[in-house]
Amino acid sequence: RSRPWEQGCRLCEGAEEDESQILLCDHCDGQYHMHCLRPRLKTVPKGAWLCPTCSAEPHVMQSSTVEDKVRDMAEAVEQGLVTRHVTEYLVKWRGTS
């Protein structure tokens, strides 16, 4: 879904000189002109904004979920509630010992 290499509005595929008229979806990072959306938006919405595609389907915001899990695990390790698991591998190279 995320296509960060694509520049321009996903509806009209046009570029916008004025960056204040482009919205980025908080889920897929898609770019949309405020005037291409239906209904048209006159101002930037407050808070998280989802594009028409992402708002039409149920989903979980994966990026924030993963960040929360990593943050929780780091805090648990710092508090000594969880120990780090370290795996060591022994490698023997051909021709040595």
Side-chain angles (χ1 to χ4, degrees):
R1 296 225 273 144
S2 180
R3 300 174 286 203
W5 60 88
E6 290 184 356
Q7 296 297 313
C9 177
R10 289 209 180 154
L11 296 176
C12 74
E13 298 179 0
E16 179 68 48
E17 297 288 324
D18 184 6
E19 290 184 5
S20 68
Q21 296 299 307
I22 296 177
L23 292 176
L24 293 178
C25 176
D26 287 313
H27 182 68
C28 71
D29 291 332
Q31 298 179 17
Y32 293 85
H33 291 126
M34 293 192 333
H35 59 267
C36 288
L37 296 166
R38 296 294 179 258
R40 289 183 179 194
L41 296 179
K42 296 184 191 248
T43 61
V44 176
K46 293 188 186 300
W49 177 79
L50 299 178
C51 70
T53 303
C54 292
S55 63
E57 57 189 53
H59 64 276
V60 175
M61 297 288 278
Q62 292 294 326
S63 60
S64 63
T65 302
V66 171
E67 288 175 12
D68 291 342
K69 286 181 181 179
V70 169
R71 189 178 308 110
D72 292 344
M73 182 57 79
E75 289 174 5
V77 168
E78 286 176 6
Q79 295 172 1
L81 302 174
V82 176
T83 58
R84 289 185 187 189
H85 178 75
V86 177
T87 303
E88 293 182 20
Y89 295 94
L90 300 175
V91 178
K92 181 172 179 170
W93 298 96
R94 185 192 303 182
T96 59
S97 65

